[in-house]
Amino acid sequence: MLLDLLQNTIDGAAAGASYALLAVGFTLIFGVLRRVNLSYGPAVMIGCYAATWLHLNFQSGLIVLALAAVAGTVLAGAYVERLCFAPHRSGSAIAAMVASFALWMQFEELATLVLPRHVYAFPLLHEGAPVEFLGLSLRPDALAVLGVAAILCALLQGLLHRTRFGLAVRATIENPHAASLAGIDPGRIFVLIFALASAIGGIAGFLIVATHGQVTPMLGMWATLKGLLAMMLGGLGSLRGAIVGALVLGQIEAHSQWFLGPQWRDLVAYLLLFALLAANPSWMTRWTISRSAS
Amino acid sequence: MDDFTLGLLTNVGLFSFLALSAYLLLLAGEMSFGQQAFFGVGAYAGGILTTLYGVPLPLAALAAMGLGALAAFLVGLPTLRLKGLYFAMATLAAAEIARLLFELLHFQREIEGELAGPDGTQGFRGIRWIFEQGIEAQEFLLLTYALLALVLAALLLVERSRLGVTLRSVGEDPELAAALGVNVNRFKLGVAASAGALAALGGVLFAHHNTFIEPRNFDIMLGVHSLAYALIGGLGTALGPLLGVALDIGVLEGSRIFGGARMIVFGGLVAVLLVLRPRGLLDEALVHCITSRALQRR
């Protein structure tokens, strides 16, 4: 029993780590642009489809596939930024969100046009059986995901709080107009943050499909929902909050699946989100990226 | 009319109810990602009543609308005071909870030697009231559009009345509306309940038109679509959402010229359109311009 609990916690942490990367990318865009990008997950899916296409046609190695996933996601992200967010920068947030939904439709159709089957196999990060340790089964690839997520989050924290670029980003979040008076070009920051968030999404996507071993067109909706859910669970627009929210989400899913059954896994997560929002705890509305420094 | 056109036109009508439901809440200043839940509640409730209990469709529709209104009221009670994205996410969570509960719903009975009723993820087969009554597809189409016309007439009347002014003022500036003596929270609850009933009515018709429903019919895709319909068509008049639905289902499903790349064309079109007209085709300015000109001529 205790062993099961521990095993679930480990599995949940591995899932939570991949959610954390998705949520961090989502939060970067939301925190800086104050816009919800529904196309975030679908852009990640495009990156993964680019990698799958390379895998099918050229049997490329894992490193090439990872690079392709990142490049594909960044390209798709750039397209989303140009068409949905650049034109609505000072305008309607809702229009930007609906436009990003329209591009989601495009991405899904594009993916199924290029690779029409419902499921494609993707090479695994680690072939073979999990390592047995004190009665627990540890998957090396899941541990790798945990490690990569931790390193990336630390790097991002450093980038935002230790560099001039990070300072410019935080200044833009605080007040874009004042930032532009100080010589910062908010438009440039928006584009760079979009690219950064997309690159993180691409890495997340690659890690997710390389541990699951398959790619489907549902990946887009799945990634958007998990990213949104983790971001909301951890407050809104705070990087630390997003990471905490993602880890909590991973734990909730793993444990509710074990105790209540697979059908309850998502239900419990949504019930918790609904209850949190209905209770409207003030910490959910107070956190922002810049304040997470303190 | 061939079957394809008939089905297409019926679908335009059915999803218009959902688009109008999202539109109603948008007017009150709330963006709901969860209207598909009430569409689903209507579909399941209506289907269960006619198929398992032999209730006539009109009565079942009324009951389903009541249930949809009640569900929307209960969801709105703790969430309507939330702002913007928080409300959107709370309604999204509620709708996903509803969809996952449909997946857990097993309620089958033997009807004429066959098992009927909702069977979790396997869906709900055999909602055959329409066929048992010998109602033709054309008649059902007429029924759908008659109901839609009724709803539309009511909405257009409301928009011209004091109630409509209150509705838009609550959406534009809730503090000002409150200062003018409107109980904003109670008003929004009323709007949410009406929007829930409207979505449920669409759901009942959807279930009986399709004869088969399954939980994933009512996923987040449907919800975002209904929002998009209202926003593409425009928030200036209740005709806006209908234009949005007609554009999507009618023109794009109907025209097969783009072949497999249909959604790519449509998605691009919508994104560009939103750059040019962020509040939709029939936005408030255009509607105002048209109505004032029409008044001048008189």
Side-chain angles (χ1 to χ4, degrees):
Chain A
M1 181 66 197
L2 190 68
L3 210 59
D4 287 332
L5 209 64
L6 208 59
Q7 180 71 55
N8 289 334
T9 308
I10 294 171
D11 294 345
S18 57
Y19 297 162
L21 286 178
L22 289 174
V24 159
F26 219 103
T27 304
L28 268 180
I29 294 175
F30 184 79
V32 178
L33 280 82
R34 295 278 136 194
R35 301 275 189 273
V36 176
N37 176 14
L38 291 176
S39 254
Y40 181 69
V44 169
M45 178 200 58
I46 288 293
C48 293
Y49 262 71
T52 310
W53 188 83
L54 274 182
H55 166 66
L56 288 174
N57 288 298
F58 300 103
Q59 283 80 42
S60 313
L62 276 173
I63 294 173
V64 177
L65 294 186
L67 289 176
V70 172
T73 310
V74 171
L75 267 179
Y79 173 62
V80 174
E81 201 274 339
R82 284 293 97 191
L83 205 54
C84 303
F85 293 90
H88 299 290
R89 198 161 284 161
S90 53
S92 159
I94 295 182
M97 196 184 70
V98 173
S100 76
F101 172 67
L103 295 202
W104 171 348
M105 308 273 85
Q106 284 194 312
F107 286 156
E108 252 184 31
E109 186 132 307
L110 180 69
T112 47
L113 277 181
V114 176
L115 298 173
R117 283 214 322 256
H118 190 64
V119 182
Y120 284 90
F122 199 86
L124 286 164
L125 272 183
H126 170 81
E127 305 275 355
V131 181
E132 296 291 330
F133 178 74
L134 295 177
L136 296 168
S137 78
L138 301 175
R139 292 182 55 189
D141 47 356
L143 294 179
V145 174
L146 256 173
V148 172
I151 293 169
L152 273 179
C153 289
L155 281 177
L156 192 64
Q157 198 73 13
L159 180 73
L160 285 177
H161 293 289
R162 297 276 155 78
T163 65
R164 283 184 70 85
F165 171 71
L167 190 64
V169 170
R170 284 181 291 137
T172 311
I173 294 169
E174 209 63 62
N175 186 338
H177 185 63
S180 70
L181 289 178
I184 297 163
D185 178 2
R188 199 174 141 260
I189 299 287
F190 290 152
V191 171
L192 287 174
I193 282 295
F194 224 94
L196 181 66
S198 302
I200 295 173
I203 297 171
F206 169 76
L207 290 172
I208 288 163
V209 294
T211 42
H212 291 185
Q214 60 176 36
V215 176
T216 78
M218 296 301 287
L219 179 66
M221 169 145 71
W222 183 87
T224 288
L225 280 181
K226 295 295 178 199
L228 253 182
L229 200 54
M231 179 170 91
M232 298 303 296
L233 280 177
L236 199 74
S238 140
L239 281 185
R240 281 185 198 178
I243 295 168
V244 172
L247 293 175
V248 169
L249 180 61
Q251 293 304 328
I252 295 168
E253 288 189 354
H255 288 291
S256 53
Q257 177 158 10
W258 175 259
F259 285 110
L260 299 166
Q263 281 175 313
W264 286 84
R265 202 184 72 156
D266 295 333
L267 194 57
V268 172
Y270 282 115
L271 279 171
L272 183 74
L273 176 65
F274 187 80
L276 273 178
L277 284 169
N280 196 18
S282 53
W283 54 265
M284 278 195 89
T285 49
R286 224 184 282 136
W287 284 10
T288 64
I289 285 188
S290 48
R291 284 186 195 141
S292 70
S294 54
Chain B
M1 248 188 285
D2 59 290
D3 284 350
F4 178 72
T5 326
L6 262 177
L8 206 67
L9 283 176
T10 313
N11 269 332
V12 170
L14 294 176
F15 288 110
S16 294
F17 287 100
L18 192 59
L20 283 172
S21 159
Y23 165 80
L24 209 52
L25 272 173
L26 280 170
L27 284 192
E30 297 287 358
M31 183 173 59
S32 166
F33 272 35
Q35 293 312 103
Q36 72 273 25
F38 313 121
F39 195 74
V41 165
Y44 270 90
I48 288 172
L49 283 175
T50 58
T51 311
L52 299 187
Y53 296 102
V55 178
L57 182 60
L59 275 181
L62 279 179
M65 282 173 76
L67 203 61
L70 180 68
F73 179 82
L74 291 178
V75 170
L77 211 53
T79 56
L80 272 169
R81 60 196 162 72
L82 300 173
K83 287 202 172 65
L85 188 61
Y86 293 97
F87 178 75
M89 285 304 114
T91 46
L92 166 66
E96 284 293 280
I97 291 168
R99 182 179 65 81
L100 292 162
L101 287 177
F102 294 148
E103 284 190 0
L104 293 174
L105 182 65
H106 295 272
F107 185 64
Q108 288 191 298
R109 281 175 33 171
E110 202 162 305
I111 305 288
E112 291 162 14
E114 263 183 71
L115 271 182
D119 186 20
T121 49
Q122 297 298 307
F124 181 175
R125 259 167 230 295
I127 307 171
R128 285 194 298 261
W129 195 85
I130 297 288
F131 300 95
E132 283 160 6
Q133 303 296 316
I135 294 172
E136 299 277 327
Q138 255 140 341
E139 288 170 312
F140 189 75
L141 178 75
L142 274 179
L143 173 74
T144 305
Y145 277 88
L147 283 171
L148 189 61
L150 217 62
V151 167
L152 207 59
L155 278 178
L156 289 173
L157 265 179
V158 162
E159 284 194 30
R160 289 172 62 103
S161 69
R162 229 186 125 70
L163 196 62
V165 176
T166 314
L167 179 59
R168 282 194 190 264
S169 72
V170 163
E172 290 289 325
D173 193 337
E175 273 114 45
L176 185 65
L180 290 172
V182 180
N183 186 336
V184 172
N185 232 344
R186 201 190 292 168
F187 191 83
K188 279 191 178 174
L189 268 175
V191 175
S194 326
L198 204 52
L201 176 58
V204 177
L205 296 174
F206 172 78
H208 287 83
H209 174 62
N210 273 26
T211 71
F212 170 65
I213 52 175
E214 54 183 333
R216 67 164 173 210
N217 288 148
F218 314 107
D219 68 359
I220 169 73
M221 268 300 189
L222 182 61
V224 189
H225 262 113
S226 61
L227 256 185
Y229 291 150
L231 286 161
I232 297 163
L235 298 179
T237 157
L239 295 173
L242 300 197
L243 183 64
V245 182
L247 259 182
D248 179 27
I249 304 182
V251 178
L252 279 143
E253 297 256 347
S255 65
R256 297 271 148 179
I257 31 172
F258 301 119
R262 204 174 70 230
M263 286 319 293
I264 295 183
V265 176
F266 184 60
L269 204 72
V270 169
V272 171
L273 192 111
L274 283 166
V275 174
L276 301 173
R277 298 190 73 84
R279 284 186 75 83
L281 283 169
L282 297 171
D283 62 5
E284 290 90 340
L286 180 69
V287 170
H288 181 73
C289 180
I290 293 172
T291 46
S292 59
R293 264 197 209 154
L295 286 177
Q296 267 171 13
R297 271 205 203 128
R298 236 183 248 169

